[in-house]
Amino acid sequence: MSQERGRLHRSAIIASLLGLIGLPLCAHAQVVQLANGGQVEAAVKHDSEVAAGDQVELVVEGVGSVVLASHQVHDVVSPKVSEDEYFDYAANFTDTVGDQWKLAKWCQHQELLLPFERHARRVLELDPNYLPARKALGYERRDGRWVSREEIMTGRGYIRFEGRWMTMQQAALQVAQEQQKQKLIDWKLRLHRWRQQLGRSSAPEVQIDFDALDDPDAIPGLIQLLGDEFDQDLAFAYLEALGRINSPAARTFLMENAVFQNNPIYREKCLQEVLAQRSPQMVEFFANHLKSYDNNIVNRAAYVLAQLDYPTAVFPLAGALQTQHLASHSSRYTYFYTSLAPEKRFDVDGPKSSYRMLTLPEFLARSRNAYDLVRVQNQGVHLALIKLCDGQDFGYNPDAWKEWYQQSHAPKSPTIRLAREE
């Protein structure tokens, strides 16, 4: 009995040392490492009814539950030993330098980071010059005294932020990035809730005026909503909202889908939104698609260039009148996004990223297979040139089209008159 009483007494000493009295852990507790550098021992509730998709619910026994944003949780570590096993083992050690250091090393091996640190600090309280503990806790000897890592880093102008050392400028940038990320998340949630309640409530909780929507932070949410939408009228409303937002991200999305989108109705709608904000700079964007290994993309890009109606497109179009492509028998097992059947919903993903801007030479260079090539006359390119050149038709002769453009649109050299000597 006295032995058991002694064991319990030593356990109480250890618990007091670690500051654990009054803070019992749950049976399935894990060590949750927070982004700000802190730690909490709690159980992660995976079937939470109160945490949203971007949140985590933590249950701390004797305290309750807390809901944190996912980005606030850096890592979750499951201890190798339970709380009872730790206290049983720790009860065998006395409050001396040797025993406390042995216990600290054991905690480190068991990945009990917080107990390790506290035992190591207890060693330094008993012997401030104990070298192994000093090194383990990051101390260095400077000018005859021990200096902590915190003192070293702050002396260099760094601050501890979100669990890492960084400059004030880096911390400010990270705060701005987190705030920006949260704005995007807020818009996604708001748009999702708006769509969920649509038609189900006479007094909707969330109201959005799409005609007045001009916040670039709403773009990812609109695209996500678009990809889940089966109602064509609503999909058109999302695309029109993207067209009104003055942002390179929205503009690029519409321009890409004016070429890549396999559903012709949505592809044409994207083109209408592009034309509403047309500019000469768009010519280069679509002219680059004339180099695609996929012949359908070449002709789709030509159609868009014709609708943009800028004469500067004549030269790149003339160069794409006849292009090389894989022969049909040779391309049977090759990935062509345009050969996929159009989906009912708007395909927000489009082609695989590695194929999106792939030219034929790039395609051949990355493949070990042998392919037969054919030279193709691109009718879509031909029709685009006729439209841009006021009905002129030089067939599939690129030089004739270029010569016509130079005569009609190239700047004329000014006439220079030399003064005659008197």
Side-chain angles (χ1 to χ4, degrees):
M1 179 67 71
S2 60
Q3 184 179 2
E4 177 65 17
R5 190 179 297 113
R7 189 187 71 82
L8 292 175
H9 177 67
R10 287 195 297 272
S11 295
I13 293 175
I14 297 296
S16 176
L17 175 65
L18 296 182
L20 294 176
I21 290 181
L23 288 175
L25 305 180
C26 9
H28 304 290
Q30 297 168 298
V31 178
V32 180
Q33 298 176 352
L34 304 177
N36 63 6
Q39 291 182 336
V40 63
E41 291 171 311
V44 179
K45 192 171 183 179
H46 298 286
D47 57 346
S48 172
E49 296 180 356
V50 296
D54 58 337
Q55 295 176 323
V56 177
E57 182 181 4
L58 305 178
V59 180
V60 182
E61 188 174 327
V63 177
S65 67
V66 60
V67 176
L68 300 177
S70 298
H71 70 271
Q72 293 179 282
V73 177
H74 175 68
D75 196 11
V76 178
V77 179
S78 298
K80 293 181 178 180
V81 297
S82 68
E83 177 190 3
D84 290 338
E85 289 173 322
Y86 162 71
F87 279 116
D88 284 343
Y89 188 78
N92 298 312
F93 293 84
T94 60
D95 190 24
T96 61
V97 170
D99 272 15
Q100 286 299 306
W101 181 240
K102 289 177 183 178
L103 186 52
K105 295 296 289 181
W106 180 83
C107 290
Q108 187 179 45
H109 179 71
Q110 300 299 329
E111 298 178 2
L112 301 174
L113 303 182
L114 194 57
F116 160 74
E117 183 176 334
R118 286 176 174 167
H119 284 295
R121 291 193 181 282
R122 178 57 181 163
V123 170
L124 294 183
E125 289 176 5
L126 297 170
D127 182 359
N129 293 314
Y130 193 76
L131 187 59
R134 285 287 181 187
K135 288 186 176 180
L137 291 172
Y139 282 86
E140 292 183 19
R141 194 80 171 173
R142 296 283 180 90
D143 299 326
R145 69 185 188 93
W146 290 107
V147 183
S148 68
R149 179 169 175 77
E150 285 77 9
E151 292 175 291
I152 295 171
M153 296 304 289
T154 52
R156 294 174 181 172
Y158 288 84
I159 62 170
R160 185 87 172 169
F161 183 77
E162 297 290 344
R164 296 191 298 117
W165 290 102
M166 59 182 70
T167 63
M168 286 289 293
Q169 293 82 356
Q170 290 172 325
L173 177 61
Q174 185 164 324
V175 169
Q177 290 173 339
E178 289 295 335
Q179 291 175 341
Q180 177 62 28
K181 181 180 178 180
Q182 189 58 50
K183 289 179 182 178
L184 301 181
I185 293 173
D186 290 344
W187 260 115
K188 283 186 177 182
L189 290 173
R190 186 181 175 195
L191 288 164
H192 178 70
R193 288 169 183 161
W194 171 85
R195 184 63 183 93
Q196 276 188 321
Q197 71 184 11
L198 191 63
R200 298 180 183 178
S201 173
S202 56
E205 176 189 355
V206 180
Q207 297 184 2
I208 299 176
D209 184 359
F210 282 89
D211 292 335
L213 181 56
D214 61 356
D215 188 350
D217 293 333
I219 292 173
L222 282 169
I223 293 175
Q224 180 175 298
L225 210 60
L226 181 62
D228 296 332
E229 190 58 69
F230 282 98
D231 187 304
Q232 182 176 298
D233 291 336
L234 287 176
F236 275 19
Y238 308 150
L239 290 170
E240 290 166 4
L242 287 168
R244 283 190 294 269
I245 297 176
N246 183 22
S247 163
R251 201 154 36 245
T252 299
F253 177 82
L254 292 168
M255 290 167 66
E256 286 186 341
N257 281 282
V259 175
F260 290 125
Q261 190 62 217
N262 276 336
N263 187 313
I265 297 175
Y266 288 138
R267 188 167 69 246
E268 186 64 26
K269 181 62 177 176
C270 288
L271 176 56
Q272 292 175 14
E273 297 304 320
V274 169
L275 295 178
Q277 47 184 316
R278 63 189 284 272
S279 70
Q281 288 73 30
M282 292 180 175
V283 171
E284 182 179 1
F285 178 90
F286 290 107
N288 282 330
H289 290 75
L290 297 174
K291 306 170 186 175
S292 175
Y293 80 104
D294 186 341
N295 186 247
N296 287 323
I297 293 297
V298 173
N299 286 285
R300 287 183 186 180
Y303 175 76
V304 175
L305 287 168
Q307 306 310 307
L308 285 173
D309 199 24
Y310 287 110
T312 50
V314 169
F315 254 70
L317 282 168
L321 275 166
Q322 299 182 62
T323 52
Q324 275 194 319
H325 295 279
L326 304 182
S328 57
H329 65 273
S330 204
S331 61
R332 186 173 303 167
Y333 302 106
T334 302
Y335 173 76
F336 287 95
Y337 171 76
T338 57
S339 67
L340 304 178
E343 298 182 12
K344 184 177 180 181
R345 289 182 296 184
F346 192 105
D347 182 5
V348 296
D349 295 324
K352 297 176 182 178
S353 57
S354 57
Y355 284 82
R356 188 173 290 268
M357 295 296 293
L358 201 62
T359 65
L360 182 63
E362 290 170 341
F363 174 86
L364 296 174
R366 62 188 271 179
S367 175
R368 296 181 179 180
N369 299 328
Y371 293 95
D372 292 330
L373 304 180
V374 293
R375 196 158 187 82
V376 179
Q377 292 185 339
N378 296 309
Q379 185 179 9
V381 175
H382 182 208
L383 294 174
L385 282 167
I386 293 174
K387 183 179 185 303
L388 287 176
C389 297
D390 303 325
Q392 296 288 333
D393 189 351
F394 301 103
Y396 289 87
N397 183 346
D399 292 335
W401 289 104
K402 293 177 182 179
E403 183 179 354
W404 180 89
Y405 172 80
Q406 288 177 327
Q407 292 178 354
S408 303
H409 298 281
K412 304 294 189 294
S413 300
T415 302
I416 301 175
R417 297 191 179 188
L418 300 176
R420 293 183 179 180
E421 295 182 1
E422 295 294 338

